[in-house]
Amino acid sequence: MTTMNISLPDALKAFVDEQVSGRGYGTSSEYVRDLIRKDQDRQHLRTLLLDGAATPSGAKADARYFDALRARVRDRS
């Protein structure tokens, strides 16, 4: 694992310390790693949503579609 040093104003350092103690993190590094992972997840989800929005529409998702989907699931059991 590599080390990265960051500088924070006192107010942000106090906020990080509050989050560490109040949310069960062991260290400020754990808190920052969790924030980074969540940001990665958010960016991945955003990419998936944008990719999905750019694809052409498929079949209508109406009641008939969901009835057929339920029937397919039941038939697999």
Side-chain angles (χ1 to χ4, degrees):
M1 190 175 300
T2 337
T3 299
M4 176 186 286
N5 296 314
I6 59 170
S7 298
L8 298 174
D10 291 339
L12 286 180
K13 173 70 168 93
F15 177 79
V16 169
D17 291 341
E18 288 172 16
Q19 298 307 301
V20 169
S21 63
R23 296 175 69 187
Y25 293 99
T27 65
S28 56
S29 291
E30 286 180 15
Y31 176 66
V32 171
R33 282 193 297 270
D34 191 42
L35 290 176
I36 293 169
R37 283 187 201 101
K38 287 177 180 175
D39 193 44
Q40 286 177 322
D41 291 346
R42 183 192 57 78
Q43 288 182 22
H44 180 68
L45 178 58
R46 185 176 194 279
T47 299
L48 292 174
L49 289 170
L50 291 174
D51 290 348
T55 59
S57 297
K60 259 189 171 171
D62 56 10
R64 187 174 18 193
Y65 169 82
F66 286 106
D67 289 343
L69 185 60
R70 286 185 197 94
R72 283 190 1 225
V73 170
R74 276 193 303 270
D75 291 344
R76 287 185 190 169
S77 301

